[in-house]
Amino acid sequence: MGLVLMAVVLWGVGWWINMRLANGPRSETRLVQLAVPTIFGATLLAVWELLVHGLEVPLVILPAPSEIAVRFSSSLPILWADFTQTILKGALGGYVMGCLAGVLTAVLVDRSDFLRRGLLPVGNFAAALPIVGTAPILVMWYGFDWQSKAAVVVVMIFFPMLVNTVAGLRETDAMQRDLMQTYAASYWQSFFKLRLPVALPFIFNGLKISTTLALIGAIVAEFFGSPTVGMGFRISTSVGQLALDMVWAEIVVAAFAGSAFYGLVAALERALTFWHPSQRSRL
Amino acid sequence: MKTVMSFLAVLAVIVGFWYAACVPMNVKGLLDAAERAGEQVTPATARERRDAGAFGLVVGNTFVVSRSWSVDRPRLPAPHQVAIELWETTVQKKITSKRSLIYHGKVTLSATLLGFGIGTGLGILLAVGIVHSRVMDMSVMPWAIVSQTIPIIALAPMIIVVLYSIGVQGLLPKAIIAAYLSFFPVVVGMVKGLRSPDHMKLDLLITYNANTAQGFWKLRLPSSMPYLFASLKIGIAASLVGAIVGELPTGAVAGFGARLLAGSYYGQTVQIWSALFAAAILAAGLVALLGVMERLILNRMGVKA
């Protein structure tokens, strides 16, 4: 009971500190803007820990953060093997192939008015579909190893990339295109010097959406069949063994991998599209 | 009109490509069957055929081409096989039958809609809190954004099993996963929408001496509607994916996810494809329904689309 009470008190204290920080005079500074979510997250973790011990929640329902951390550090080799199999091979391999395929198709589609008119509705339709459902088919075709996971990822991210890139390539206005024409620029010159740079913010939007989709595709595809390694495999078998601390450890890995992947693409975007208003306003 | 024509042409090309792809995809299985039936095939044994290219096999055994589109358990079923299966399992089966896709669709749809309702409701509430409270904005919003980069669907099997172990089963666990997936898009979109009125409009309300509640109901909520519908469309598609994935670990009882899993266990490819298309039609239908609602409501509110 004492632990539960402590959790409530801790929550109150954390919230009070955040109230003071957020409504205080320094709330616009960078330090405070970083501190507030950090305090919130830390309080949440502490409350979770205290409640699990205080209410004596069994391990098979919800392990405490400390138990997850112990499991995480004691099974680093397994987690690393799963990470390599699912993220580096399946998700990243599929991501590179799918993005390239999407962008190249978009360049082709953009050259023909007919194709754009016909393919875009198909692309928009496909973007809303539960494409994860193709996983059992692709696992059947490409076997249990990472190739089938990469294939699922390719199918999942192809259409978002296509739609975004096509939209981006149409973003130039008539004045800019005319200017290129007065320079006697060829198609590819005006493509590389004008239309591709203008399309970059759109392409990066697609790339950022695809990071999450890639991880989802690679993990879910493993539920339909996989070698005895991989994050999706580990999650489904550990759930079967009621080893929930292992499941949570894998989720921690997935969370870090997802955020790092997204952060990497976002950093690349900042480096390449520094001229765009949405990036400049942050300075 | 021109758009419709181009769309149909592209669709025809895709279907044609699909039919063509059936030939090399199914050739090995067909040749094995033909060999067992005592027909002359080149190369003669399955061992030699295993390493041969699919196109080479098709060229060497042109007689199998005509059979490619009516294989019993094909690697890639032809479009008409999928269409026939869809027709048989929707229209020609009783709705209560375990083999009816409508029955399975209903199971998935109810979980999707329940989850979508819960997720959207909570998402809107949290967005309202975030917009009106600076503390919540600063502490919760960064986490809401970070959580979108995390494959939360990995939690699905665990949620199912944990809820089962405390005695909750059936519709609710799937609905919770569906809710979880539709929750964050709605929060992020709704926060953006509730913040969309510019300073001029907010100042106008201040000159009217409007209080916060009036400002919310008369300005913020109406101007958030276009954003809300945009994220609702993302949310319902995510909910459906969540409900389908939520059906996987329960061991294939009912629903589209169960059909997919059972099909992949027993090599019933036609069943997988028909479940997939049924799910796709359902998703497109739900998104289209939201689109119609969006148009009606926004028109009535006088928002220019």
Side-chain angles (χ1 to χ4, degrees), chain A residues 18-104:
Chain A
N18 270 354
M19 283 274 253
R20 289 294 299 267
L21 281 176
N23 297 322
R26 289 168 181 276
S27 66
E28 294 303 324
T29 57
R30 219 184 149 115
L31 191 71
V32 171
Q33 279 182 345
L34 244 121
V36 172
T38 314
I39 292 173
F40 179 74
T43 319
L44 210 60
L45 274 185
V47 168
W48 175 359
E49 177 85 40
L50 288 174
L51 281 184
V52 166
H53 287 301
L55 299 175
E56 286 169 3
V57 181
L59 181 73
V60 293
I61 290 179
L62 188 67
S66 57
E67 290 166 318
I68 298 168
V70 167
R71 168 62 79 160
F72 186 91
S73 55
S74 68
S75 44
L76 278 178
I78 296 180
L79 292 174
W80 175 249
D82 292 345
F83 174 79
T84 328
Q85 170 75 17
T86 305
I87 308 286
L88 295 186
K89 288 184 187 163
L92 215 56
Y95 183 77
V96 172
M97 283 189 273
C99 291
L100 276 179
V103 171
L104 292 181

Side-chain angles (χ1 to χ4, degrees), chain A residues 84-144:
Chain A
T84 328
Q85 170 75 17
T86 305
I87 308 286
L88 295 186
K89 288 184 187 163
L92 215 56
Y95 183 77
V96 172
M97 283 189 273
C99 291
L100 276 179
V103 171
L104 292 181
T105 315
V107 174
L108 280 182
V109 167
D110 183 63
R111 292 205 77 165
S112 135
D113 200 40
F114 177 78
L115 270 183
R116 199 180 56 234
R117 245 194 276 262
L119 258 182
L120 270 196
V122 178
N124 280 326
F125 174 75
L129 299 186
I131 298 190
V132 163
T134 56
I137 297 163
L138 292 167
V139 168
M140 208 175 283
W141 287 357
Y142 295 102
F144 282 169

Side-chain angles (χ1 to χ4, degrees), chain A residues 22 28 37 61 125 141 239 251, chain B residues 75 134 143 148 155 161 166 284:
Chain A
E28 294 303 324
I61 290 179
F125 174 75
W141 287 357
V239 163
I251 288 168
Chain B
R75 279 187 81 193
R134 212 175 142 63
W143 292 108
Q148 287 204 299
L155 288 168
V161 170
I166 57 172

Side-chain angles (χ1 to χ4, degrees), chain B residues 212-270:
Chain B
T212 316
Q214 283 170 325
F216 176 76
W217 291 111
K218 301 211 156 115
L219 175 62
R220 284 189 191 271
L221 193 65
S223 35
S224 71
M225 281 299 133
Y227 295 86
L228 177 65
F229 274 105
S231 38
L232 284 186
K233 284 189 208 162
I234 301 172
I236 192 120
S239 281
L240 184 64
V241 172
I244 290 176
V245 173
E247 280 158 0
L248 298 179
T250 54
V253 184
F256 285 145
R259 290 291 278 186
L260 290 175
L261 199 64
S264 92
Y265 279 165
Y266 302 116
Q268 295 283 2
T269 37
V270 183

Side-chain angles (χ1 to χ4, degrees), chain B residues 10-301:
Chain B
V10 168
L11 211 60
V13 169
I14 292 176
V15 172
F17 184 76
W18 184 349
Y19 270 111
C22 286
V23 178
M25 285 300 286
N26 294 331
V27 69
K28 278 186 190 173
L30 277 171
L31 287 179
D32 291 344
E35 189 196 346
R36 273 197 297 276
E39 285 177 86
Q40 191 67 41
V41 296
T42 47
T45 62
R47 183 185 294 258
E48 288 168 285
R49 281 197 300 271
R50 201 179 56 196
D51 299 321
F55 288 102
L57 287 176
V58 174
V59 173
N61 305 278
T62 38
F63 67 96
V64 293
V65 170
S66 60
R67 301 179 200 168
S68 303
W69 301 297
S70 50
V71 190
D72 192 23
R73 286 186 178 188
R75 279 187 81 193
L76 176 62
H80 68 263
Q81 286 180 297
V82 177
I84 289 171
E85 168 85 5
L86 261 180
W87 178 260
E88 281 177 353
T89 49
T90 50
V91 181
Q92 295 187 345
K93 282 267 184 315
K94 264 191 296 191
I95 297 178
T96 47
S97 159
K98 282 258 155 99
R99 296 189 60 194
S100 162
L101 266 184
I102 300 207
Y103 163 77
H104 290 286
K106 223 168 60 188
V107 173
T108 305
L109 181 65
S110 47
T112 306
L113 289 183
L114 181 60
F116 179 66
I118 298 173
T120 313
L122 290 180
I124 292 176
L125 280 184
L126 183 64
V128 172
I130 285 177
V131 169
H132 284 105
S133 150
R134 212 175 142 63
V135 196
M136 277 183 85
D137 177 24
M138 285 179 75
S139 38
V140 180
M141 201 57 191
W143 292 108
I145 291 171
V146 167
S147 74
Q148 287 204 299
T149 67
I150 298 170
I152 27 185
I153 210 155
L155 288 168
M158 189 180 59
I159 293 175
I160 299 276
V161 170
V162 165
L163 287 181
Y164 183 81
S165 70
I166 57 172
V168 183
Q169 51 179 315
L171 195 61
L172 200 59
K174 288 188 278 178
I176 288 177
I177 296 168
Y180 200 43
L181 285 182
S182 63
F183 176 68
F184 291 107
V186 171
V187 172
V188 175
M190 198 63 189
V191 166
K192 217 179 195 173
L194 289 174
R195 290 231 172 100
S196 63
D198 56 26
H199 268 287
M200 289 281 270
K201 291 176 187 158
L202 291 172
D203 285 348
L204 182 67
L205 280 193
I206 293 176
T207 63
Y208 289 163
N209 194 23
N211 59 26
T212 316
Q214 283 170 325
F216 176 76
W217 291 111
K218 301 211 156 115
L219 175 62
R220 284 189 191 271
L221 193 65
S223 35
S224 71
M225 281 299 133
Y227 295 86
L228 177 65
F229 274 105
S231 38
L232 284 186
K233 284 189 208 162
I234 301 172
I236 192 120
S239 281
L240 184 64
V241 172
I244 290 176
V245 173
E247 280 158 0
L248 298 179
T250 54
V253 184
F256 285 145
R259 290 291 278 186
L260 290 175
L261 199 64
S264 92
Y265 279 165
Y266 302 116
Q268 295 283 2
T269 37
V270 183
Q271 180 186 323
I272 300 181
W273 281 91
S274 61
L276 195 58
F277 269 83
I281 293 167
L282 185 63
L286 288 174
V287 173
L289 195 70
L290 278 174
V292 171
M293 272 170 62
E294 175 181 20
R295 202 138 11 116
L296 285 179
I297 292 178
L298 292 192
N299 265 342
R300 188 116 171 78
M301 288 172 42

Side-chain angles (χ1 to χ4, degrees), chain A residues 90-275:
Chain A
L92 215 56
Y95 183 77
V96 172
M97 283 189 273
C99 291
L100 276 179
V103 171
L104 292 181
T105 315
V107 174
L108 280 182
V109 167
D110 183 63
R111 292 205 77 165
S112 135
D113 200 40
F114 177 78
L115 270 183
R116 199 180 56 234
R117 245 194 276 262
L119 258 182
L120 270 196
V122 178
N124 280 326
F125 174 75
L129 299 186
I131 298 190
V132 163
T134 56
I137 297 163
L138 292 167
V139 168
M140 208 175 283
W141 287 357
Y142 295 102
F144 282 169
D145 209 355
W146 65 271
Q147 288 89 346
S148 60
K149 280 70 198 175
V152 174
V153 174
V154 169
V155 177
M156 277 183 80
I157 68 178
F158 178 76
F159 286 108
M161 280 311 292
L162 177 71
V163 172
N164 271 299
T165 312
V166 169
L169 287 175
R170 287 173 58 72
E171 193 54 18
T172 50
D173 59 36
M175 286 282 266
Q176 295 167 324
R177 282 194 300 269
D178 285 351
L179 182 67
M180 290 313 269
Q181 210 144 33
T182 61
Y183 290 160
S186 69
Y187 173 81
W188 289 111
Q189 278 176 326
S190 84
F191 179 81
F192 280 113
K193 302 215 157 118
L194 170 64
R195 302 183 45 226
L196 190 61
V198 169
L200 271 184
F202 288 80
I203 297 179
F204 270 106
N205 189 24
L207 286 175
K208 286 197 283 192
I209 297 172
S210 301
T211 55
T212 321
L213 288 179
L215 294 195
I216 291 176
I219 292 176
V220 172
E222 288 184 1
F223 295 159
F224 286 98
S226 68
T228 54
V229 63
M231 296 167 70
F233 165 80
R234 194 77 57 204
I235 287 172
S236 50
T237 48
S238 300
V239 163
Q241 299 160 350
L242 294 178
L244 284 200
D245 47 349
M246 191 67 199
V247 178
W248 279 99
E250 290 285 356
I251 288 168
V252 171
V253 174
F256 276 124
S259 316
F261 196 3
Y262 187 92
L264 223 60
V265 174
L268 196 65
E269 178 184 24
R270 259 199 298 283
L272 286 179
T273 63
F274 56 88
W275 46 269

